Amino acid sequence: MKFEERDIADCAGWSLAHSVKVGEKRLPKGTLLTADHIGRLQACNIEKVQVFKLDPEDYDENQAAQIAASLITGSGVTVEPAGRGRANLLADCDGVFDPASAIDFLNDLDDAFSAACKPPFSHVRKGELVGTVKLIPYGLPKSILEATQPPAKVTVEAFKPFTADLIATGAPTPEKTKSVLAARIERVGGTLQRQTCVAHEVDAVKAALLNSTYTDLILILGASAISDGADILPVGIKAVGGTIIKLGMPTDPGNLLMLAEVNGKTVIGLPGCARSPAENGFDWILERYAAGLPLTRSAIAKMGTGGLLKETAGRKAPRTKTHRTTPATKRTYAAIVLAAGRSSRSGNSHKLLATLGGKTVVATTLDTILTTGAIKPTLVTGARRADIQAAVGEMDITPVHNKNYMAGMGSSIALGASSLMGAYDFAFICQGDMPFVQAATYKTLIQTSETCPARSILVPTFNGKRGHPVLWGAAFFNDLAALTGDTGGRKLMHAHADAVVEVPVSDPGILIDLDTPEMLAQFGVNPAITPEGR
């Protein structure tokens, strides 16, 4: 490929290396220059431009990116058609991403390549972007790729269906813990089919293991942590002829995990942090098991690099002095209650002004928040401002009016967050049309936040499904205040996934909003017909 600065009069048949403004318009880079282009450039007194021309032995940037990406792509991954010198790699299935050495190989092959990907052994979903190959120059000699064979390829190892038994020793497993473990297993394609509780004794563990004959995976949640090879659980495994593959795991949280094998079946002795929905070392083991990847002593020993995971809620021995299980001062809480929309989806009724048990939906939502005694609500109004303010009467709230409510929900969140700057440690974002959320849910989120880092996002879950309200640490108020249009907080949660703490609650109300006439009717809400029909 030739890349030069040339006199404009001598550029026919060459392509622009950079975009050039011609009058009120701009010729984009890559434009193949014709006599007409040259005349227009000369009319603008442009004498020289940087241009390029491919040789017959070259691939253009899209061809080179496409071929290179295809060259390193293995099973479970699809290469999208290249554009602007970039080819993206997408997961074909839910599974575990393994770049092997393919990305490094391509980057080392030639400076023309800039390839990047997700971290090794990431849990990915079908359709998720897992890698990208970008060609830096506009072309590449064919010889570089035609004689190339990478030593390994990028793959996504699909999760395969499996069944699991849970053996608890000592006290029965709480329903909350069972729910967390079942959701974790289902997330990787498995099913928790049986749960038993036995005494924390070697003979009892031995009998339980021998009884788990119709399952693929055995999980053991001990009454106490596994801290030695002579502990109850490892001794019980050895008593049935099992083998301890690895005792201890170089991740934090998740240190006290045990991996074993009994009669050809994988057995995992769970660390205490497996009771929490937050990511921990057990997730890494479970994901690799579900994907059929090797679980050897060596594989686990190598997890120490990158094994320092995020803090978990309720951690009693924090790794940093700044993380306290009991804050030095009592934290303060606010709520941004969204009540600015036109309720266009609820037909001829305004959902917030509809009544439930003689009280409007928005007043019911606010009343629940106020009964906690710990939250100061800020009500963001927009459409039907006067009617909504009349509906809430003399409630102890701070009203904020969003004149720009037609711009979408993001503008209301931004206004509410801006009004709270510097005044509160945490703020709930609440939908005004969710009157079935229980006061206990707000209290549980607050209690959990007291043992979390200040930079946390707490999300309630019911049977493993996320709902509302979401509790945001003040560290995110600036991000919330920058939201625009109809964008809510979901993108921020994806961008700061390391700060998200899922909090299981026994409250189906976190999943119920009253968006449509059908929902209003289903839950016995009396519609408020409006003259505007909205």
Side-chain angles (χ1 to χ4, degrees):
M1 184 187 73
K2 302 180 181 67
F3 188 101
E4 304 175 8
E5 183 178 56
R6 297 175 67 88
D7 291 334
I8 190 61
D10 194 25
C11 285
W14 289 70
S15 299
L16 281 177
H18 308 287
S19 62
V20 178
K21 189 173 183 181
V22 182
E24 295 300 318
K25 296 185 178 181
R26 184 172 290 276
L27 286 179
K29 66 179 182 179
T31 299
L32 181 63
L33 295 175
T34 64
D36 177 64
H37 293 130
I38 291 171
R40 290 161 59 192
L41 289 164
Q42 288 174 326
C44 293
N45 297 317
I46 296 174
E47 299 178 355
K48 292 179 178 291
V49 288
Q50 286 186 307
V51 290
F52 68 92
K53 180 184 284 189
L54 299 180
D55 295 324
E57 298 79 19
D58 291 337
Y59 290 124
D60 67 31
E61 59 176 346
N62 288 334
Q63 291 172 323
Q66 189 80 32
I67 293 169
S70 299
L71 195 67
I72 65 167
T73 296
S75 62
V77 181
T78 295
V79 181
E80 283 194 314
R84 298 193 175 187
R86 181 183 298 280
N88 289 330
L89 281 60
L90 305 182
D92 272 347
C93 54
D94 292 2
V96 174
F97 172 66
D98 184 5
S101 59
I103 296 294
D104 292 341
F105 168 82
L106 203 57
N107 287 328
D108 193 47
L109 179 65
D110 194 279
D111 285 349
F113 295 110
S114 175
C117 69
K118 294 182 71 67
F121 303 109
S122 295
H123 179 168
V124 298
R125 296 296 187 187
K126 183 177 181 178
E128 185 175 344
L129 177 69
V130 297
T132 187
V133 175
K134 178 74 171 74
L135 198 76
I136 302 299
Y138 293 105
L140 184 77
K142 295 178 180 178
S143 59
I144 292 177
L145 291 174
E146 288 176 349
T148 297
Q149 186 58 48
K153 298 196 175 189
V154 171
T155 61
V156 171
E157 302 299 330
F159 294 135
K160 303 166 183 63
F162 67 94
T163 57
D165 276 2
L166 173 63
I167 300 170
T169 69
T173 306
E175 287 301 320
K176 180 177 176 181
T177 300
K178 291 179 185 177
S179 166
V180 167
L181 290 172
R184 185 171 256 133
I185 290 167
E186 289 169 8
R187 205 158 48 230
V188 294
T191 302
L192 184 59
Q193 67 175 20
R194 189 173 59 166
Q195 305 166 48
T196 58
C197 179
V198 301
H200 190 63
E201 300 170 354
V202 171
D203 287 344
V205 171
K206 177 181 174 181
L209 288 168
L210 292 174
N211 195 38
S212 290
T213 55
Y214 301 104
T215 190
D216 301 313
L217 174 68
I218 301 172
L219 306 176
I220 308 180
L221 186 60
S224 59
I226 308 167
S227 55
D228 192 90
D231 230 330
I232 298 292
L233 299 188
V235 170
I237 287 170
K238 293 172 187 175
V240 294
T243 303
I244 307 300
I245 298 172
K246 184 78 171 71
L247 186 59
M249 183 179 183
T251 61
D252 195 358
N255 309 117
L256 303 181
L257 180 142
M258 175 188 66
L259 182 68
E261 185 178 281
V262 172
N263 296 327
K265 292 183 181 180
T266 298
V267 180
I268 303 175
L270 300 178
C273 57
R275 295 179 173 86
S276 165
E279 183 186 17
N280 58 72
F282 171 49
D283 290 294
W284 292 11
I285 298 294
L286 186 63
E287 288 162 4
R288 294 199 195 190
Y289 170 83
L293 292 169
L295 280 174
T296 62
R297 184 185 185 284
S298 176
I300 297 175
K302 291 176 182 176
M303 292 180 181
T305 301
L308 181 63
L309 305 180
K310 64 185 178 183
E311 297 284 0
T312 57
R315 184 176 177 84
K316 295 181 180 178
R319 290 184 284 273
T320 61
K321 292 182 180 179
T322 56
H323 176 56
R324 298 181 295 270
T325 55
T326 303
T329 57
K330 186 173 178 60
R331 286 174 167 173
T332 53
Y333 297 85
I336 301 169
V337 182
L338 303 176
R342 294 176 298 162
S343 190
S344 57
R345 293 180 59 195
S346 55
N348 292 327
S349 173
H350 195 292
K351 59 188 177 183
L352 298 180
L353 298 173
T355 56
L356 179 67
K359 187 185 295 185
T360 62
V361 166
V362 65
T364 302
T365 300
L366 286 166
D367 190 52
T368 302
I369 295 170
L370 289 168
T371 59
T372 66
I375 308 170
K376 177 66 175 178
T378 291
L379 181 68
V380 183
T381 59
R384 305 297 299 275
R385 174 189 184 185
D387 292 334
I388 288 175
Q389 286 184 333
V392 302
E394 300 299 318
M395 284 185 166
D396 184 18
I397 63 170
T398 300
V400 175
H401 182 56
N402 180 12
K403 297 179 181 178
N404 193 35
Y405 69 90
M406 292 288 287
M409 177 174 59
S411 64
S412 292
I413 295 175
L415 185 64
S418 297
S419 72
L420 303 178
M421 292 288 191
Y424 295 91
D425 298 309
F426 281 85
F428 291 92
I429 294 182
C430 309
Q431 306 289 344
D433 62 345
M434 296 188 70
F436 298 108
V437 177
Q438 301 169 10
T441 292
Y442 290 98
K443 292 177 181 178
T444 297
L445 289 165
I446 288 174
Q447 289 168 359
T448 305
S449 74
E450 294 288 355
T451 59
C452 288
R455 185 185 176 278
S456 296
I457 306 169
L458 291 91
V459 187
T461 65
F462 179 74
N463 287 340
K465 187 171 183 179
R466 291 181 176 184
H468 295 280
V470 176
L471 181 58
W472 296 77
F476 297 101
F477 286 7
N478 281 326
D479 293 320
L480 293 170
L483 292 175
T484 58
D486 207 30
T487 302
R490 185 173 298 176
K491 285 188 177 180
L492 290 178
M493 289 169 62
H494 286 314
H496 302 284
D498 62 320
V500 173
V501 177
E502 292 186 340
V503 182
V505 296
S506 300
D507 181 4
I510 70 168
L511 306 178
I512 302 171
D513 57 13
L514 301 174
D515 270 349
T516 64
E518 293 76 18
M519 291 294 286
L520 291 170
Q522 179 180 348
F523 291 99
V525 180
N526 297 315
I529 307 301
T530 68
E532 298 90 344
R534 53 173 88 167

